[in-house]
Amino acid sequence: MSPLRAGRWLTLGGYFGLFFLILVWTSLVDPPQHLPRSLVLLALLLPLLAPLRGLLHGRQRTHAWTSLLALLYVAIGITLAAAAEDRVYGLSMLGLALVLFSGCLLYVRAFGWERRRAPEA
């Protein structure tokens, strides 16, 4: 498997894993007690919806800035993992955000390698 393809699969796996983890955990497993469920879902899922089209089309710039977006979820995951009651959720979010981050970086790097290797027309 080429690095470009591996980066794309890692990115999409991390993206959709993170999306569905947040959706299922916030809706079914452990709904928030003090805030409306819809508000928490909106705050956590809305930033993830922004890069969806570019990721599905394989655009390099979208992958580059999605790697920065993944760092937000790394920080949220670390914060949740520090709390004893949300440790599983935090570690899961952290792991999937790191998969998304590394997939985006691998894709951007491999895209650059492919561009340099291609003969000039």
Side-chain angles (χ1 to χ4, degrees), residues 43-54:
L44 289 175
L45 292 180
L46 193 62
L48 279 177
L49 289 176
L52 178 61
R53 185 171 181 208

Side-chain angles (χ1 to χ4, degrees), residues 8-52:
R8 182 158 168 76
W9 281 107
L10 275 174
T11 299
L12 292 177
Y15 177 85
F16 286 114
L18 187 61
F19 189 88
F20 288 115
L21 172 74
I22 293 170
L23 184 65
V24 168
W25 195 278
T26 306
S27 299
L28 304 173
V29 177
D30 188 22
Q33 303 298 322
H34 304 293
L35 293 171
R37 202 179 295 175
S38 58
L39 182 65
V40 174
L41 283 172
L42 190 68
L44 289 175
L45 292 180
L46 193 62
L48 279 177
L49 289 176
L52 178 61

Side-chain angles (χ1 to χ4, degrees), residues 18 21 25 87-97:
L18 187 61
L21 172 74
W25 195 278
R87 184 152 304 166
V88 173
Y89 180 44
L91 290 175
S92 301
M93 184 181 288
L94 176 63
L96 288 169

Side-chain angles (χ1 to χ4, degrees), residues 1-11 102-103 105-115 117:
M1 182 180 287
S2 72
L4 190 66
R5 187 172 215 156
R8 182 158 168 76
W9 281 107
L10 275 174
T11 299
S102 60
L105 290 184
L106 180 62
Y107 185 83
V108 169
R109 294 282 305 226
F111 199 89
W113 292 332
E114 294 289 325
R115 185 178 259 172
R117 278 194 328 186

Side-chain angles (χ1 to χ4, degrees), residues 44-103:
L44 289 175
L45 292 180
L46 193 62
L48 279 177
L49 289 176
L52 178 61
R53 185 171 181 208
L55 290 177
L56 291 177
H57 285 281
R59 296 188 178 122
Q60 182 190 19
R61 295 178 100 189
T62 305
H63 280 77
W65 70 262
T66 302
S67 67
L68 299 174
L69 179 64
L71 293 177
L72 170 69
Y73 291 96
V74 167
I76 294 171
I78 289 171
T79 304
L80 290 172
E85 64 272 0
D86 291 332
R87 184 152 304 166
V88 173
Y89 180 44
L91 290 175
S92 301
M93 184 181 288
L94 176 63
L96 288 169
L98 287 174
V99 168
L100 175 61
F101 180 74
S102 60

